[in-house]
Amino acid sequence: MRNFEIGTAGAGDLATLREWAADEGWNPGDRDLTAFQAADPRGFLVGRLDGEPVASVSAVRHGPGFGFLGLYIARPQVRGQGYGMRMWRAAMDRLGGRNVGLDGVVAQQENYRRSGFHHAWNHLRYEGTVPVSAAEVPGGTVLVDGRSLPFAVLADHDRRHFPGERDAFLSQWVTQPAHTSLAAVGDGGLRGFAVARPAARGTRVGPLHADSEAVAHALLTGLAATAPPAPLVLDVPDVNAPALRLVERLGFTPVFECARMYTGPVPDTDTSGVFGVTSIEVG
């Protein structure tokens, strides 16, 4: 009988989990896992078989009533042996009593339904380039470094678009080396916010929150001006018609699809302002 143990991921496991996510074709950002762990240091689980890491899952608690499940991976050599299901149960036990969200790949969505999740919308991943002179900032609005704003302003804006408190994560996300953040400020307040970070392929953008298609376009243009010469990559919720219209108008190409699913009611957030989700791993 081989020995399988589930424990909390340590700092040394983060690089391994990132490699596994890359192997699955999820294209994580270069430093995503460091910020992810700040969201809930006990929320990342690793399954070890005879001491060797072979499976993972994240079960991140965002505030008292919401949780998010991601990084659900069993390495190819152990699939079909029940280890993945043991990881799943450990994650759901940790999130017991909460409304739990996840972004499920197409091949697993029926399994998630059988586990009590229901479909809310799809996230469509798009890749493309933006001419840096293509969009004008709407009148009365300026783009500034997101780090220059009081953190409370960013956190309050984030809570309009996300169903749980995640200040520790957001503070890391904005200040990570090589992450670029832009805020659109005008009309007496924050009209949009976006973060770009390098990844194995291209530059990942998320979140991209804006109160209009024009503001979202300006933020993308501003990020493109600072990013390496590579495609921008963002996950767009298909319930936001202006967001889809923007990426299609820019000629972006769809490359990946997953479904946002919840165990409870769809949270009451401003989906009309989400032009790109922060991360399909932690929401």
Side-chain angles (χ1 to χ4, degrees):
M1 181 68 69
R2 302 184 70 181
N3 182 42
F4 183 74
E5 295 183 344
I6 299 173
T8 303
D13 294 314
L14 297 183
T16 298
L17 298 188
R18 183 191 176 280
E19 290 176 6
W20 290 0
D23 290 345
E24 296 296 319
W26 299 343
N27 192 27
D30 292 349
R31 300 180 65 89
D32 281 5
L33 271 295
T34 303
F36 289 173
Q37 198 174 47
D40 182 355
R42 299 180 184 274
F44 294 82
L45 307 179
V46 173
R48 291 180 168 83
L49 187 62
D50 296 335
E52 177 188 357
V54 296
S56 68
V57 70
S58 59
V60 174
R61 297 170 176 171
H62 293 292
F66 183 64
F68 204 86
L69 192 149
L71 290 171
Y72 180 39
I73 302 170
R75 297 295 282 168
Q77 68 270 24
V78 300
R79 290 176 184 169
Q81 300 177 41
Y83 300 119
M85 182 53 65
R86 290 173 66 177
M87 299 297 297
W88 174 270
R89 289 171 180 157
M92 292 303 291
D93 286 347
R94 187 170 195 278
L95 298 176
R98 296 165 183 260
N99 187 6
V100 181
L102 60 76
D103 282 306
V105 297
V106 173
Q108 293 293 330
Q109 287 171 22
E110 186 55 39
N111 290 332
Y112 297 143
R113 289 189 183 95
R114 288 196 292 266
S115 295
F117 286 80
H118 59 89
H119 180 271
W121 59 77
N122 290 338
H123 283 136
L124 306 176
R125 179 167 297 172
Y126 281 85
E127 294 184 356
T129 58
V130 181
V132 297
S133 59
E136 294 183 0
V137 179
T141 301
V142 295
L143 299 184
V144 300
D145 188 327
R147 295 170 297 179
S148 69
L149 298 182
F151 180 75
V153 172
L154 297 181
D156 288 346
H157 190 261
D158 187 69
R159 285 291 286 114
R160 286 173 44 194
H161 305 94
F162 188 76
E165 184 277 319
R166 55 177 183 177
D167 288 5
F169 162 78
L170 187 63
S171 65
Q172 285 274 338
W173 200 245
V174 173
T175 59
Q176 282 286 327
H179 286 209
T180 300
S181 64
L182 284 180
V185 181
D187 295 334
L190 183 58
R191 300 193 58 194
F193 177 67
V195 176
R197 78 264 192 204
R201 173 175 173 78
T203 298
R204 297 289 303 273
V205 176
L208 176 57
H209 295 162
D211 66 9
S212 71
E213 183 178 342
V215 170
H217 191 180
L219 286 167
L220 273 181
T221 301
L223 292 175
T226 63
L232 299 180
V233 184
L234 67 161
D235 295 306
V236 180
D238 66 359
V239 291
N240 187 342
L244 291 177
R245 184 170 60 235
L246 173 60
V247 290
E248 290 168 0
R249 178 165 58 86
L250 291 172
F252 279 34
T253 302
V255 296
F256 178 76
E257 178 180 348
C258 60
R260 173 59 59 88
M261 308 178 81
Y262 296 101
T263 56
V266 175
D268 183 17
T269 58
D270 180 13
T271 55
S272 68
V274 180
F275 285 74
V277 70
T278 302
S279 163
I280 63 172
E281 286 80 26
V282 296

